[in-house]
Amino acid sequence: MKRNIKTIHLSRRFTSLILIGAMLNLTVGCHMFKVTQYDNLNTKQALNDIEASDYIIVHIGNENYHINQLKVDLDKNEISGYRTSISNEHNLFPNPRPVGNQYIRKFESPENEVHIYISNAQEKERDLVLIPFGSIERLDIYDNQVGATIASYVFLGLGIGAGVAGIVMIVVALLKTSCPFVYMLNGDEYKFNGEIFAGAIDPNLERDDYMPLPNFKAQNGIFELKITNELKERQYTDIAELFCIEHAKDVQVLMDSYGKFYSIKNPSAPISATTNKGSDLLSFVTKLDSISYMFTDEMSDNQDFSDISFKFQNNIKSKEGKLVLNLKNTLWMDYIFERFCAQFGDKYNSFAALQRNKSAKEKTAWAKAQGMLLEVQIKTKAGWKTVDNINMVGPLASRSIIVPIDLTGHSEDNIEIRLKSGYHFWEVDYAAMDYTENENLKIKPLELTKAEDENGVDLKSTILKSDGIYLEQLYIGAQAFFTFKEAPLSNSNNMTSLFLHTRGYYQYIRNYTGKPNISELKKFKNPGSFTHFARTRLFELAGAK
């Protein structure tokens, strides 16, 4: 299997943890991912908890087969199981591949699947198959409820030295904790598109969210989408409106984090992409291919933080650039915030109530200091200058956004932009810079013709405007269905792009037990303490230093 990507070296210990984590019976308070927490990752217990609902498919060359009774042998550095034919409900394509975040399929949704791509295996009697860790080239984990490949990792040269711990432990802890989910109706099924107002976990953190809806097609002149609560939380949405932007077919339209639209006509790839540690990541970020840099190179001045720096040519000496990014949060960040909350034990709800008295400004400043927001910087003669801090978008689906860059006073031919975050908190799949002038875009809010909950109750009056009257989704299974009327094109040579604007917040429902860990919690007042906690815990679980 040939891939134009940088080789990722992982130790055998890390590889085994991926394989164990991918198949754990994940069961912690969550409807979408079932997670059992193993604080010290008891391997024997984990192996006993592998459940049949994780259907394992092995790919070797053009051949594919199912493997059951899976065992992971850490001493022999191999996995084993019994080879059988792939059942009809899983035998959808001879070699399934993810496209973006969407899994290709023709028929009914498969159960949760783990796809293991290997270069070789040893076959024994009675269909017993032995697969060395070193032969594993790729691992895909598919979840049928979101209709997406939720994790995809490529491994080349496994078992050669110490590696990047951040990539591997995501799967060990697939605990999803936050955000309302958005689905688009395409054809006769709803397609998961992403999460809204991630990180707005209190009323005073309520914020606007601007989600692109790519490939959303009208059916019989209407667009249909739904917002759901599938997790242990209460969700409050103040407004949901759909914007249609008409533009030329050779133009792409994106939004920044503050609701402004931008046209993209000639995006240029970076001429270099490196980390503070010196890793060359250009092949990771020049294509939209779901192969991402996951912020796993430590910075020399603070190993709890990670970065990536891009150089872009600016031969025309433009005074403004439009940085195009495709990104998302990691599942590890989502999980470790849950572990932080658990430190409060049976006092968590009291703590959460007190937090509502703190200002949004104070909370946001804490999140920035902890590396939870993605800091965008530009290099100036005086050093690195912060341009923006990108708020969380959630870990289940990547999102494309624009960050406007003021280049006044930058006379150099090359511009250097840096993204900085806590260790393994973000994933960046694509980066480009566009210098073209913004075109005159025709922005049309679409008419909301119908809004109902799962019981048919009318919701239009609660969702039409931002007025403090909320769509309240207070339990797992709550759904809200919206129908918008398509607007005709003014020019048949044009096309449209759609964006969902929402505003709201959500609150966790947690019933932790035990006494609060006071000595540990005091540390979190200090800048960088959360990302230090996250990185330390990650390496402890991975068995690395």
Side-chain angles (χ1 to χ4, degrees), residues 359-412:
S359 69
K361 184 177 180 180
E362 187 178 1
K363 290 181 179 180
T364 302
W366 183 85
K368 289 177 182 178
Q370 305 306 328
M372 300 171 77
L373 307 189
L374 184 64
E375 188 174 3
V376 182
Q377 302 174 319
I378 185 169
K379 195 169 188 178
T380 69
K381 293 178 181 178
W384 290 103
K385 176 184 175 183
T386 299
V387 174
D388 199 3
N389 287 276
I390 300 174
N391 219 319
M392 290 164 274
V393 300
L396 292 187
S398 294
R399 183 182 297 196
S400 292
I401 68 166
I402 289 288
V403 180
I405 307 291
D406 183 5
L407 299 176
T408 304
H410 291 266
S411 58
E412 298 84 359

Side-chain angles (χ1 to χ4, degrees), residues 183-187 189-191 213 216-226 242 449-450 480-485:
Y183 295 80
M184 307 180 301
L185 184 63
N186 277 335
E189 65 178 3
Y190 281 97
K191 174 190 171 184
L213 302 176
F216 194 10
K217 306 298 183 185
Q219 299 173 80
N220 300 318
I222 61 171
F223 295 100
E224 294 186 53
L225 58 82
K226 67 176 179 178
L242 193 61
T449 58
K450 190 176 182 180
F481 300 86
F482 304 98
T483 299
F484 295 89
K485 186 177 179 180

Side-chain angles (χ1 to χ4, degrees), residues 11-269:
S11 72
R12 290 177 177 175
R13 175 63 172 164
F14 294 159
T15 308
S16 65
L17 287 177
I18 293 178
L19 297 171
I20 295 168
M23 296 161 240
L24 289 178
N25 175 22
L26 304 174
T27 61
V28 177
C30 176
H31 169 95
M32 173 152 302
F33 302 116
K34 301 172 183 173
V35 179
T36 295
Q37 294 163 336
Y38 298 96
D39 285 346
N40 296 308
L41 197 63
N42 183 315
T43 303
K44 186 174 181 180
Q45 181 183 359
L47 293 174
N48 288 336
D49 284 339
I50 293 173
E51 67 173 348
S53 63
D54 288 322
Y55 194 88
I56 301 161
I57 298 175
V58 172
H59 304 266
I60 178 169
N62 293 322
E63 188 180 9
N64 315 288
Y65 54 84
H66 170 49
I67 186 171
N68 59 22
Q69 298 183 46
L70 181 110
K71 293 183 179 179
V72 179
D73 192 321
L74 299 179
D75 295 323
K76 295 181 179 179
N77 295 311
E78 67 182 17
I79 62 174
S80 64
Y82 290 90
R83 170 180 176 151
T84 65
S85 298
I86 299 174
S87 61
N88 289 335
E89 62 267 31
H90 294 272
N91 197 12
L92 306 180
F93 276 81
N95 197 11
R97 302 277 181 177
V99 175
N101 195 52
Q102 182 69 15
Y103 186 87
I104 302 174
R105 55 193 169 95
K106 283 184 178 177
F107 311 113
E108 295 180 1
S109 299
E111 296 299 315
N112 295 349
E113 293 178 351
V114 176
H115 292 260
I116 304 175
Y117 296 80
I118 65 174
S119 59
N120 63 80
Q122 192 176 4
E123 298 196 18
K124 299 290 188 179
E125 58 184 14
R126 297 191 302 276
D127 294 319
L128 177 65
V129 178
L130 306 179
I131 302 173
F133 291 162
S135 75
I136 299 167
E137 297 176 329
R138 173 172 151 187
L139 179 71
D140 291 347
I141 302 162
Y142 173 76
D143 187 282
N144 69 322
Q145 295 207 46
V146 300
T149 303
I150 58 171
S152 183
Y153 304 112
V154 179
F155 312 109
L156 303 176
L158 289 180
I160 306 175
V164 189
I167 295 176
V168 304
M169 290 309 300
I170 297 175
V171 184
V172 176
L174 284 179
L175 172 59
K176 185 69 195 73
T177 62
S178 60
C179 322
F181 293 172
V182 173
Y183 295 80
M184 307 180 301
L185 184 63
N186 277 335
D188 58 357
E189 65 178 3
Y190 281 97
K191 174 190 171 184
F192 176 73
N193 192 70
E195 305 153 84
I196 51 177
F197 40 82
I201 57 173
D202 271 325
N204 62 356
L205 287 176
E206 178 180 357
R207 66 180 180 87
D208 294 281
D209 187 279
Y210 304 94
M211 173 185 284
L213 302 176
N215 303 314
F216 194 10
K217 306 298 183 185
Q219 299 173 80
N220 300 318
I222 61 171
F223 295 100
E224 294 186 53
L225 58 82
K226 67 176 179 178
I227 298 175
T228 67
N229 182 353
E230 302 181 28
L231 307 169
K232 290 180 65 177
E233 60 194 31
R234 292 178 288 268
Q235 298 172 177
Y236 303 88
T237 305
D238 194 15
I239 188 172
E241 54 185 345
L242 193 61
F243 287 100
C244 173
I245 295 84
E246 182 176 342
H247 54 89
K249 292 181 179 179
D250 63 346
V251 170
Q252 181 186 8
V253 174
L254 289 173
M255 297 182 77
D256 64 14
S257 299
Y258 308 98
K260 184 176 178 179
F261 292 97
Y262 294 84
S263 61
I264 308 298
K265 194 167 185 177
N266 187 28
S268 302

Side-chain angles (χ1 to χ4, degrees), residues 414-426:
N414 294 332
I415 300 160
E416 194 165 356
I417 300 293
R418 182 167 74 175
L419 307 181
K420 178 182 175 183
S421 88
Y423 188 90
H424 195 34
F425 283 177
W426 286 82

